Coordinates of all heavy atoms in Angstrom, one line a residue:
A1 N 67.3 -54.9 196.2 CA 67.4 -53.5 196.7 C 67.1 -52.5 195.5 O 67.6 -52.8 194.4 CB 68.8 -53.2 197.2
L2 N 66.4 -51.5 195.8 CA 66.1 -50.5 194.8 C 67.2 -49.5 194.7 O 67.6 -48.9 195.7 CB 64.8 -49.8 195.1 CG 64.3 -48.8 194.2 CD1 63.9 -49.4 192.9 CD2 63.1 -48.1 194.7
L3 N 67.8 -49.4 193.6 CA 68.9 -48.4 193.4 C 68.4 -47.1 192.8 O 67.7 -47.2 191.8 CB 70.0 -49.0 192.5 CG 70.6 -50.3 193.1 CD1 71.6 -50.9 191.9 CD2 71.5 -50.0 194.3
P4 N 68.8 -46.0 193.3 CA 68.3 -44.7 192.7 C 69.0 -44.5 191.4 O 70.1 -44.8 191.2 CB 68.7 -43.7 193.8 CG 69.8 -44.3 194.5 CD 69.6 -45.9 194.5
T5 N 68.1 -43.9 190.5 CA 68.7 -43.5 189.2 C 68.5 -42.0 189.1 O 67.8 -41.4 189.9 CB 67.9 -44.2 188.1 OG1 66.5 -43.7 188.1 CG2 67.9 -45.7 188.2
I6 N 69.1 -41.5 188.2 CA 69.0 -40.1 187.9 C 67.6 -39.7 187.7 O 67.1 -38.6 188.2 CB 69.9 -39.6 186.7 CG1 71.4 -39.8 187.1 CG2 69.7 -38.2 186.3 CD1 72.3 -39.6 186.0
R7 N 66.9 -40.5 186.9 CA 65.5 -40.1 186.6 C 64.6 -40.1 187.9 O 63.8 -39.2 188.2 CB 64.9 -41.1 185.6 CG 63.4 -40.8 185.3 CD 63.0 -41.7 184.3 NE 63.6 -41.4 183.0 CZ 63.6 -42.2 181.9 NH1 63.0 -43.3 181.9 NH2 64.2 -41.8 180.8
V8 N 64.8 -41.1 188.7 CA 64.1 -41.2 190.0 C 64.5 -40.0 190.9 O 63.7 -39.4 191.6 CB 64.4 -42.5 190.7 CG1 63.7 -42.5 192.2 CG2 63.8 -43.6 189.9
E9 N 65.8 -39.6 191.0 CA 66.2 -38.5 191.8 C 65.6 -37.2 191.3 O 65.3 -36.4 192.1 CB 67.7 -38.5 191.8 CG 68.4 -39.6 192.6 CD 69.9 -39.6 192.6 OE1 70.5 -38.6 192.0 OE2 70.6 -40.5 193.0
N10 N 65.6 -37.0 190.0 CA 65.0 -35.9 189.4 C 63.5 -35.8 189.7 O 62.9 -34.7 190.0 CB 65.2 -35.8 187.9 CG 66.6 -35.4 187.6 OD1 67.4 -34.9 188.4 ND2 67.1 -35.8 186.3
Y11 N 62.8 -36.9 189.6 CA 61.4 -37.0 189.9 C 61.2 -36.6 191.5 O 60.4 -35.7 191.7 CB 60.9 -38.4 189.7 CG 59.4 -38.6 190.0 CD1 58.5 -38.1 189.1 CD2 59.0 -39.2 191.1 CE1 57.1 -38.3 189.4 CE2 57.6 -39.4 191.4 CZ 56.7 -38.9 190.5 OH 55.4 -39.1 190.8
R12 N 62.0 -37.1 192.3 CA 61.9 -36.7 193.7 C 62.2 -35.3 194.0 O 61.4 -34.6 194.7 CB 63.0 -37.5 194.6 CG 62.9 -37.3 196.1 CD 64.1 -37.6 196.7 NE 65.3 -36.9 196.2 CZ 66.5 -37.3 196.1 NH1 66.8 -38.5 196.4 NH2 67.4 -36.5 195.6
D13 N 63.1 -34.7 193.3 CA 63.5 -33.3 193.4 C 62.3 -32.5 192.9 O 61.9 -31.4 193.5 CB 64.7 -32.9 192.6 CG 66.0 -33.4 193.3 OD1 65.9 -33.8 194.5 OD2 67.0 -33.4 192.6
G14 N 61.6 -32.8 191.8 CA 60.5 -32.1 191.3 C 59.3 -32.1 192.3 O 58.7 -31.1 192.5
I15 N 59.2 -33.3 192.9 CA 58.1 -33.3 194.0 C 58.4 -32.4 195.2 O 57.6 -31.7 195.7 CB 57.9 -34.8 194.4 CG1 57.2 -35.6 193.3 CG2 57.0 -34.9 195.7 CD1 57.2 -37.1 193.6
E16 N 59.7 -32.4 195.6 CA 60.1 -31.5 196.6 C 59.9 -30.1 196.3 O 59.5 -29.2 197.1 CB 61.6 -31.8 197.0 CG 61.7 -33.1 197.8 CD 63.1 -33.4 198.1 OE1 64.1 -32.7 197.7 OE2 63.4 -34.5 198.7
D17 N 60.3 -29.7 195.1 CA 60.1 -28.3 194.6 C 58.7 -27.9 194.6 O 58.3 -26.9 195.1 CB 60.6 -28.2 193.1 CG 62.1 -28.3 193.1 OD1 62.8 -28.2 194.1 OD2 62.6 -28.5 191.9
F18 N 57.8 -28.8 194.1 CA 56.3 -28.5 194.1 C 55.9 -28.3 195.6 O 55.1 -27.4 195.9 CB 55.6 -29.7 193.5 CG 54.1 -29.5 193.5 CD1 53.5 -28.6 192.7 CD2 53.3 -30.2 194.5 CE1 52.1 -28.5 192.8 CE2 52.0 -30.0 194.5 CZ 51.3 -29.2 193.6
W19 N 56.4 -29.2 196.5 CA 56.0 -29.1 197.9 C 56.5 -27.7 198.5 O 55.7 -27.1 199.2 CB 56.6 -30.3 198.7 CG 56.3 -30.2 200.2 CD1 55.2 -30.6 200.8 CD2 57.1 -29.8 201.2 NE1 55.2 -30.4 202.1 CE2 56.5 -29.9 202.5 CE3 58.5 -29.3 201.3 CZ2 57.0 -29.6 203.7 CZ3 59.0 -28.9 202.5 CH2 58.2 -29.0 203.7
Y20 N 57.7 -27.3 198.2 CA 58.2 -26.0 198.6 C 57.3 -24.9 198.2 O 56.8 -24.0 199.0 CB 59.6 -25.7 198.2 CG 60.7 -26.2 199.0 CD1 61.6 -27.2 198.7 CD2 60.9 -25.6 200.3 CE1 62.6 -27.7 199.5 CE2 62.0 -26.0 201.1 CZ 62.8 -27.1 200.7 OH 63.8 -27.4 201.5
Y21 N 57.0 -24.8 197.0 CA 56.1 -23.7 196.5 C 54.7 -23.8 197.0 O 54.1 -22.7 197.2 CB 56.2 -23.7 194.9 CG 57.5 -23.3 194.3 CD1 58.4 -24.1 193.9 CD2 57.8 -21.9 194.4 CE1 59.6 -23.7 193.4 CE2 59.0 -21.5 193.9 CZ 59.9 -22.3 193.5 OH 61.1 -21.9 193.0
T22 N 54.1 -25.0 197.1 CA 52.8 -25.2 197.8 C 52.8 -24.7 199.2 O 51.9 -23.9 199.6 CB 52.3 -26.6 197.7 OG1 52.3 -27.0 196.3 CG2 51.0 -26.8 198.3
L23 N 53.8 -25.1 200.0 CA 54.0 -24.6 201.3 C 54.2 -23.0 201.5 O 53.4 -22.5 202.2 CB 55.2 -25.3 202.0 CG 55.3 -25.1 203.5 CD1 54.1 -25.7 204.2 CD2 56.6 -25.9 203.9
L24 N 54.9 -22.6 200.5 CA 55.1 -21.1 200.5 C 53.7 -20.4 200.2 O 53.4 -19.4 200.8 CB 56.1 -20.7 199.4 CG 56.4 -19.2 199.2 CD1 56.7 -18.4 200.5 CD2 57.5 -19.0 198.2
E25 N 53.0 -20.9 199.3 CA 51.6 -20.3 199.0 C 50.8 -20.4 200.1 O 50.1 -19.5 200.5 CB 51.0 -21.0 197.8 CG 51.6 -20.7 196.5 CD 51.0 -21.5 195.3 OE1 50.4 -22.6 195.5 OE2 51.2 -21.1 194.1
E26 N 50.8 -21.4 200.9 CA 50.1 -21.6 202.2 C 50.4 -20.5 203.2 O 49.6 -19.9 203.9 CB 50.1 -23.0 202.8 CG 49.4 -24.0 201.9 CD 49.7 -25.5 202.4 OE1 50.2 -25.7 203.4 OE2 49.2 -26.4 201.6
Y27 N 51.8 -20.4 203.4 CA 52.3 -19.4 204.3 C 51.9 -17.9 203.8 O 51.5 -17.2 204.7 CB 53.8 -19.5 204.5 CG 54.1 -20.4 205.6 CD1 54.6 -21.7 205.4 CD2 54.2 -20.0 206.9 CE1 54.9 -22.6 206.3 CE2 54.6 -20.8 207.9 CZ 55.0 -22.2 207.7 OH 55.3 -23.0 208.6
L28 N 51.9 -17.7 202.6 CA 51.5 -16.4 202.0 C 50.0 -16.1 202.3 O 49.6 -15.0 202.7 CB 51.8 -16.3 200.5 CG 53.3 -15.9 200.2 CD1 53.5 -16.1 198.8 CD2 53.5 -14.5 200.7
E29 N 49.2 -17.2 202.1 CA 47.8 -17.0 202.4 C 47.6 -16.6 203.8 O 46.7 -15.7 204.2 CB 47.0 -18.3 202.1 CG 45.6 -18.2 202.2 CD 44.9 -19.5 201.9 OE1 45.4 -20.2 200.9 OE2 43.9 -19.9 202.5
Q30 N 48.2 -17.3 204.8 CA 48.1 -16.9 206.2 C 48.7 -15.6 206.5 O 48.1 -14.8 207.3 CB 48.8 -18.1 207.1 CG 48.2 -19.4 207.0 CD 46.7 -19.3 207.5 OE1 46.4 -18.6 208.5 NE2 45.8 -19.9 206.8
A31 N 49.8 -15.3 205.9 CA 50.4 -13.9 206.1 C 49.4 -12.8 205.7 O 49.4 -11.8 206.4 CB 51.7 -13.8 205.3
R32 N 48.8 -13.0 204.6 CA 47.8 -12.0 204.2 C 46.7 -11.8 205.2 O 46.3 -10.7 205.5 CB 47.2 -12.3 202.8 CG 48.2 -12.1 201.7 CD 47.6 -12.4 200.3 NE 48.6 -12.7 199.4 CZ 49.0 -13.8 198.9 NH1 48.4 -14.9 199.3 NH2 49.9 -13.9 197.9
K33 N 46.3 -12.9 205.7 CA 45.2 -12.9 206.8 C 45.6 -12.2 208.0 O 44.9 -11.5 208.8 CB 44.7 -14.3 207.2 CG 43.9 -14.9 206.0 CD 43.5 -16.3 206.4 CE 42.9 -17.1 205.2 NZ 42.6 -18.4 205.6
Q34 N 47.0 -12.3 208.3 CA 47.6 -11.8 209.5 C 48.0 -10.3 209.4 O 48.7 -9.8 210.3 CB 48.7 -12.7 210.1 CG 48.1 -14.1 210.5 CD 49.3 -14.9 210.9 OE1 50.4 -14.5 211.3 NE2 49.0 -16.2 210.8
H35 N 47.9 -9.7 208.2 CA 48.3 -8.5 207.8 C 49.9 -8.2 208.1 O 50.2 -7.2 208.8 CB 47.5 -7.4 208.5 CG 46.0 -7.6 208.3 ND1 45.5 -7.3 207.1 CD2 45.1 -8.0 209.1 CE1 44.2 -7.5 207.2 NE2 43.9 -8.0 208.3
I36 N 50.6 -9.1 207.6 CA 52.1 -9.1 207.7 C 52.6 -7.9 206.8 O 51.9 -7.6 205.8 CB 52.7 -10.4 207.3 CG1 52.4 -11.5 208.2 CG2 54.3 -10.3 207.2 CD1 52.7 -11.4 209.7
S37 N 53.8 -7.4 207.2 CA 54.4 -6.3 206.4 C 54.2 -6.4 204.9 O 54.6 -7.5 204.4 CB 55.8 -6.1 206.7 OG 56.5 -5.4 205.9
P38 N 53.7 -5.4 204.2 CA 53.7 -5.6 202.7 C 55.0 -5.9 202.1 O 55.1 -6.5 201.0 CB 53.1 -4.2 202.3 CG 52.4 -3.7 203.5 CD 53.1 -4.2 204.7
V39 N 56.1 -5.4 202.7 CA 57.4 -5.6 202.2 C 57.8 -7.0 202.2 O 58.3 -7.6 201.2 CB 58.5 -4.7 202.9 CG1 59.9 -5.0 202.4 CG2 58.2 -3.2 202.6
L40 N 57.5 -7.7 203.4 CA 57.7 -9.1 203.5 C 56.9 -9.9 202.6 O 57.3 -10.9 201.9 CB 57.5 -9.5 204.9 CG 58.5 -9.1 206.0 CD1 58.1 -9.7 207.3 CD2 59.9 -9.6 205.6
L41 N 55.6 -9.5 202.4 CA 54.7 -10.2 201.5 C 55.2 -10.2 200.0 O 55.3 -11.2 199.3 CB 53.4 -9.6 201.5 CG 52.5 -10.0 202.7 CD1 51.1 -9.3 202.6 CD2 52.2 -11.5 202.8
Q42 N 55.6 -9.0 199.6 CA 56.2 -8.7 198.3 C 57.4 -9.7 198.1 O 57.5 -10.3 196.9 CB 56.5 -7.4 198.0 CG 56.9 -7.1 196.6 CD 57.1 -5.6 196.3 OE1 57.3 -4.8 197.3 NE2 57.2 -5.2 195.1
K43 N 58.3 -9.7 199.0 CA 59.6 -10.5 198.9 C 59.2 -11.9 198.6 O 59.7 -12.6 197.8 CB 60.5 -10.3 200.1 CG 61.2 -9.0 200.1 CD 62.2 -9.0 201.3 CE 62.9 -7.7 201.4 NZ 63.9 -7.7 202.5
A44 N 58.3 -12.5 199.4 CA 57.9 -13.8 199.4 C 57.1 -14.2 198.1 O 57.3 -15.2 197.5 CB 57.1 -14.2 200.6
E45 N 56.3 -13.2 197.7 CA 55.5 -13.5 196.5 C 56.4 -13.5 195.2 O 56.1 -14.2 194.2 CB 54.4 -12.3 196.3 CG 53.2 -12.5 197.2 CD 52.4 -11.2 197.3 OE1 52.8 -10.2 196.9 OE2 51.2 -11.5 197.9
Q46 N 57.5 -12.7 195.3 CA 58.4 -12.7 194.1 C 59.1 -14.0 193.9 O 59.4 -14.5 192.8 CB 59.5 -11.6 194.3 CG 59.0 -10.2 194.1 CD 60.1 -9.1 194.5 OE1 61.1 -9.5 195.1 NE2 59.8 -8.0 194.0
V47 N 59.3 -14.8 195.0 CA 59.9 -16.1 194.9 C 59.0 -17.0 194.1 O 59.5 -18.0 193.4 CB 60.1 -16.7 196.3 CG1 60.7 -18.1 196.2 CG2 61.1 -15.8 197.0
L48 N 57.7 -16.9 194.1 CA 56.8 -17.7 193.4 C 56.9 -17.5 191.8 O 56.4 -18.4 191.1 CB 55.3 -17.4 193.8 CG 54.9 -17.9 195.2 CD1 53.5 -17.5 195.6 CD2 55.1 -19.4 195.4
T49 N 57.4 -16.5 191.4 CA 57.7 -16.3 190.0 C 59.0 -17.0 189.6 O 60.1 -16.4 190.0 CB 57.7 -14.8 189.7 OG1 56.4 -14.1 190.1 CG2 57.9 -14.5 188.1
I50 N 58.9 -18.0 188.7 CA 60.1 -18.7 188.4 C 60.7 -18.0 187.2 O 60.0 -17.7 186.2 CB 59.8 -20.1 187.9 CG1 58.9 -20.9 189.0 CG2 61.0 -21.0 187.6 CD1 59.5 -21.1 190.3
P51 N 62.0 -17.5 187.4 CA 62.7 -16.9 186.3 C 62.8 -17.6 185.0 O 62.9 -18.9 185.1 CB 64.0 -16.4 186.8 CG 64.1 -17.1 188.1 CD 62.8 -17.8 188.5
E52 N 63.0 -17.0 183.9 CA 63.1 -17.6 182.6 C 64.5 -18.3 182.5 O 64.5 -19.2 181.7 CB 62.9 -16.6 181.5 CG 61.4 -16.3 181.2 CD 61.3 -15.5 180.0 OE1 62.2 -15.3 179.2 OE2 60.1 -15.1 179.7
N53 N 65.4 -18.0 183.4 CA 66.7 -18.7 183.2 C 66.6 -20.1 183.8 O 67.4 -20.9 183.7 CB 67.8 -17.9 183.8 CG 67.8 -17.9 185.4 OD1 66.7 -17.8 185.9 ND2 68.8 -17.9 186.0
V54 N 65.5 -20.3 184.5 CA 65.2 -21.6 185.1 C 64.2 -22.4 184.1 O 64.5 -23.6 183.9 CB 64.5 -21.5 186.5 CG1 64.2 -22.9 187.0 CG2 65.4 -20.8 187.4
I55 N 63.1 -21.8 183.8 CA 62.2 -22.5 182.9 C 61.4 -21.4 182.0 O 60.9 -20.5 182.5 CB 61.1 -23.4 183.6 CG1 60.3 -24.2 182.7 CG2 60.3 -22.6 184.5 CD1 59.6 -25.3 183.3
K56 N 61.5 -21.7 180.7 CA 60.7 -20.9 179.7 C 59.4 -21.5 179.3 O 58.5 -20.9 178.9 CB 61.6 -20.5 178.5 CG 62.7 -19.6 178.8 CD 63.4 -19.2 177.5 CE 64.6 -18.3 177.8 NZ 65.3 -18.0 176.6
G57 N 59.4 -22.9 179.4 CA 58.3 -23.6 178.9 C 58.5 -25.1 179.1 O 59.5 -25.4 179.8
S58 N 57.6 -25.9 178.8 CA 57.7 -27.3 179.1 C 58.8 -28.0 178.3 O 59.3 -29.0 178.7 CB 56.4 -28.1 178.7 OG 56.2 -27.9 177.2
T59 N 59.4 -27.3 177.3 CA 60.6 -28.0 176.7 C 61.9 -27.1 176.7 O 62.9 -27.5 176.3 CB 60.2 -28.2 175.2 OG1 60.0 -26.9 174.6 CG2 59.2 -29.1 175.0
Q60 N 61.7 -25.9 177.4 CA 62.9 -25.1 177.5 C 63.2 -24.8 179.0 O 62.4 -24.1 179.7 CB 62.7 -23.7 176.8 CG 62.6 -23.9 175.3 CD 62.4 -22.6 174.7 OE1 61.4 -21.9 175.0 NE2 63.3 -22.2 173.7
Y61 N 64.2 -25.4 179.6 CA 64.5 -25.3 181.0 C 66.0 -25.5 181.2 O 66.6 -26.0 180.4 CB 63.7 -26.3 181.8 CG 63.7 -27.7 181.3 CD1 64.7 -28.5 181.7 CD2 62.7 -28.1 180.4 CE1 64.9 -29.8 181.1 CE2 62.8 -29.4 179.9 CZ 63.8 -30.3 180.3 OH 63.8 -31.6 179.7
T62 N 66.4 -25.1 182.3 CA 67.9 -25.3 182.6 C 68.1 -26.7 183.1 O 67.2 -27.3 183.7 CB 68.3 -24.3 183.7 OG1 69.7 -24.4 183.9 CG2 67.7 -24.6 185.1
T63 N 69.3 -27.2 182.8 CA 69.8 -28.5 183.3 C 70.9 -28.2 184.3 O 71.5 -29.2 184.8 CB 70.3 -29.4 182.2 OG1 71.4 -28.6 181.5 CG2 69.1 -29.7 181.2
D64 N 71.1 -26.9 184.7 CA 72.2 -26.6 185.6 C 71.7 -26.8 187.1 O 70.7 -26.1 187.5 CB 72.7 -25.2 185.5 CG 73.7 -24.8 186.3 OD1 74.1 -25.5 187.3 OD2 74.3 -23.7 186.2
P65 N 72.1 -27.8 187.8 CA 71.6 -28.1 189.1 C 71.8 -26.9 190.1 O 71.0 -26.8 191.0 CB 72.4 -29.3 189.6 CG 73.5 -29.5 188.7 CD 73.3 -28.8 187.4
E66 N 72.9 -26.1 189.9 CA 73.1 -25.0 190.8 C 72.0 -23.9 190.7 O 71.6 -23.3 191.7 CB 74.4 -24.4 190.6 CG 75.6 -25.3 191.1 CD 75.4 -25.7 192.5 OE1 75.2 -24.8 193.4 OE2 75.6 -26.9 192.8
V67 N 71.5 -23.7 189.5 CA 70.5 -22.7 189.2 C 69.2 -23.2 189.9 O 68.5 -22.5 190.6 CB 70.2 -22.4 187.7 CG1 69.0 -21.6 187.5 CG2 71.5 -21.8 187.1
I68 N 68.9 -24.5 189.7 CA 67.7 -25.1 190.4 C 67.8 -25.0 191.9 O 66.8 -24.7 192.6 CB 67.5 -26.5 189.8 CG1 67.2 -26.4 188.3 CG2 66.3 -27.2 190.6 CD1 67.3 -27.8 187.6
R69 N 69.0 -25.4 192.4 CA 69.1 -25.3 193.9 C 69.0 -24.0 194.4 O 68.4 -23.7 195.5 CB 70.5 -25.9 194.2 CG 70.6 -27.3 194.2 CD 71.9 -27.9 194.7 NE 72.1 -29.3 194.3 CZ 73.1 -29.6 193.4 NH1 73.8 -28.7 192.9 NH2 73.1 -30.9 193.0
A70 N 69.5 -23.0 193.7 CA 69.4 -21.5 194.1 C 67.9 -21.2 194.2 O 67.5 -20.5 195.2 CB 70.1 -20.6 193.1
E71 N 67.0 -21.5 193.3 CA 65.6 -21.2 193.3 C 64.9 -21.9 194.5 O 64.1 -21.3 195.2 CB 64.9 -21.6 192.0 CG 65.3 -20.6 190.9 CD 65.0 -19.2 191.2 OE1 63.9 -18.9 191.7 OE2 65.9 -18.3 191.0
R72 N 65.3 -23.2 194.7 CA 64.8 -24.0 195.8 C 65.1 -23.3 197.2 O 64.3 -23.2 198.1 CB 65.3 -25.4 195.8 CG 64.7 -26.3 196.8 CD 65.2 -27.7 196.6 NE 64.9 -28.3 195.3 CZ 65.8 -28.9 194.6 NH1 67.0 -29.1 195.0 NH2 65.5 -29.5 193.5
R73 N 66.3 -22.8 197.2 CA 66.9 -22.1 198.4 C 66.1 -20.9 198.7 O 65.7 -20.6 199.8 CB 68.4 -21.9 198.3 CG 69.0 -21.5 199.6 CD 70.6 -21.5 199.5 NE 71.2 -21.3 198.1 CZ 71.6 -22.3 197.4 NH1 71.6 -23.5 197.8 NH2 72.2 -22.0 196.2
K74 N 65.8 -20.1 197.6 CA 65.0 -18.9 197.8 C 63.6 -19.3 198.4 O 63.0 -18.5 199.2 CB 64.8 -18.2 196.4 CG 66.0 -17.6 195.9 CD 65.7 -16.9 194.6 CE 66.9 -16.4 193.9 NZ 66.6 -15.9 192.5
A75 N 62.9 -20.3 197.9 CA 61.7 -20.7 198.4 C 61.8 -21.1 199.9 O 60.9 -20.6 200.7 CB 61.1 -21.9 197.6
A76 N 62.8 -21.7 200.2 CA 63.1 -22.2 201.7 C 63.2 -21.0 202.6 O 62.7 -20.8 203.6 CB 64.1 -23.2 201.8
E77 N 64.1 -20.1 202.1 CA 64.3 -18.8 202.8 C 63.1 -18.0 203.0 O 62.9 -17.3 204.0 CB 65.5 -18.0 202.1 CG 66.8 -18.7 202.2 CD 67.9 -18.1 201.4 OE1 67.5 -17.2 200.5 OE2 69.1 -18.5 201.5
A78 N 62.2 -17.9 201.9 CA 60.9 -17.1 202.0 C 60.0 -17.8 203.1 O 59.4 -17.1 203.9 CB 60.3 -17.1 200.6
I79 N 60.0 -19.0 203.2 CA 59.2 -19.7 204.2 C 59.7 -19.4 205.6 O 58.9 -19.0 206.5 CB 59.1 -21.3 204.0 CG1 58.3 -21.6 202.6 CG2 58.6 -22.0 205.2 CD1 58.5 -23.0 202.2
I80 N 61.0 -19.5 205.8 CA 61.7 -19.1 207.0 C 61.3 -17.7 207.4 O 61.1 -17.4 208.5 CB 63.1 -19.6 207.0 CG1 63.3 -21.0 206.9 CG2 63.8 -18.9 208.2 CD1 64.7 -21.5 206.6
M81 N 61.5 -16.8 206.5 CA 61.2 -15.4 206.7 C 59.8 -15.2 207.2 O 59.6 -14.5 208.2 CB 61.4 -14.6 205.4 CG 61.1 -13.1 205.5 SD 61.3 -12.3 203.9 CE 60.0 -13.0 203.0
L82 N 58.8 -15.8 206.6 CA 57.5 -15.7 207.0 C 57.2 -16.3 208.5 O 56.5 -15.7 209.3 CB 56.5 -16.3 206.0 CG 56.4 -15.5 204.7 CD1 55.6 -16.4 203.7 CD2 55.9 -14.1 204.9
Q83 N 57.9 -17.4 208.6 CA 57.8 -18.1 209.9 C 58.4 -17.1 211.0 O 57.7 -17.0 212.1 CB 58.6 -19.3 210.0 CG 57.9 -20.5 209.3 CD 58.7 -21.7 209.2 OE1 59.9 -21.7 209.2 NE2 58.1 -22.9 209.0
K84 N 59.5 -16.5 210.8 CA 60.1 -15.6 211.8 C 59.2 -14.4 212.1 O 59.3 -13.8 213.0 CB 61.5 -15.1 211.3 CG 62.5 -16.3 211.4 CD 63.9 -15.8 211.0 CE 64.9 -16.9 211.2 NZ 66.3 -16.5 210.7
A85 N 58.4 -14.0 211.0 CA 57.5 -12.9 211.1 C 56.3 -13.2 211.9 O 55.3 -12.4 212.2 CB 57.2 -12.3 209.8
G86 N 56.2 -14.5 212.3 CA 55.1 -14.9 213.1 C 54.0 -15.6 212.4 O 52.9 -15.9 213.1
V87 N 54.2 -16.0 211.2 CA 53.1 -16.7 210.4 C 53.2 -18.1 210.7 O 54.3 -18.7 210.7 CB 53.3 -16.5 208.9 CG1 52.3 -17.2 208.1 CG2 53.3 -15.0 208.5
A88 N 52.1 -18.7 211.0 CA 52.0 -20.1 211.3 C 50.9 -20.7 210.5 O 49.9 -20.1 210.1 CB 51.8 -20.4 212.9
L89 N 51.0 -22.0 210.2 CA 49.9 -22.7 209.5 C 48.9 -23.4 210.5 O 49.3 -23.8 211.6 CB 50.5 -23.8 208.6 CG 51.4 -23.2 207.4 CD1 51.9 -24.3 206.5 CD2 50.6 -22.2 206.6

């Protein structure tokens, strides 16, 4: 049996984060084509900017899982917000 390790779990989380941001970018692209409210677009676009308290560079980043989860949650909420506004892929 394959036992999960912290390294494997972190790798999986990184892939999921990448997926969330990629999905959000796809929803934003569709939202622009559908002329969704500029306010909603701006809110969703802001989520794509990762704050410095999360990552400053390839060697400077947070190790606090709550900070990372909060950013992931923002991406998920932005996707849901766009879906509720009628954006579909």
Side-chain angles (χ1 to χ4, degrees):
L2 182 63
L3 298 175
T5 64
I6 291 173
R7 182 175 289 165
V8 171
E9 289 177 10
N10 287 340
Y11 182 73
R12 180 200 64 214
D13 289 345
I15 290 171
E16 288 176 359
D17 292 344
F18 179 77
W19 181 78
Y20 269 114
Y21 287 103
T22 299
L23 189 60
L24 177 55
E25 286 176 339
E26 290 174 9
Y27 270 98
L28 278 166
E29 184 178 324
Q30 290 301 315
R32 288 183 195 102
K33 290 177 184 176
Q34 296 175 22
H35 306 291
I36 297 297
S37 158
V39 173
L40 289 180
L41 283 174
Q42 185 179 17
K43 284 182 180 181
E45 288 169 343
Q46 286 175 344
V47 174
L48 291 176
T49 303
I50 310 294
E52 285 192 3
N53 69 323
V54 176
I55 185 165
K56 289 184 183 181
S58 61
T59 59
Q60 293 178 303
Y61 50 86
T62 185
T63 57
D64 183 348
E66 290 304 315
V67 172
I68 296 167
R69 284 187 199 110
E71 288 304 309
R72 187 179 299 134
R73 194 168 24 259
K74 287 179 190 176
E77 289 169 352
I79 291 167
I80 292 168
M81 175 185 67
L82 292 171
Q83 288 173 333
K84 287 182 178 179
V87 179
L89 296 182

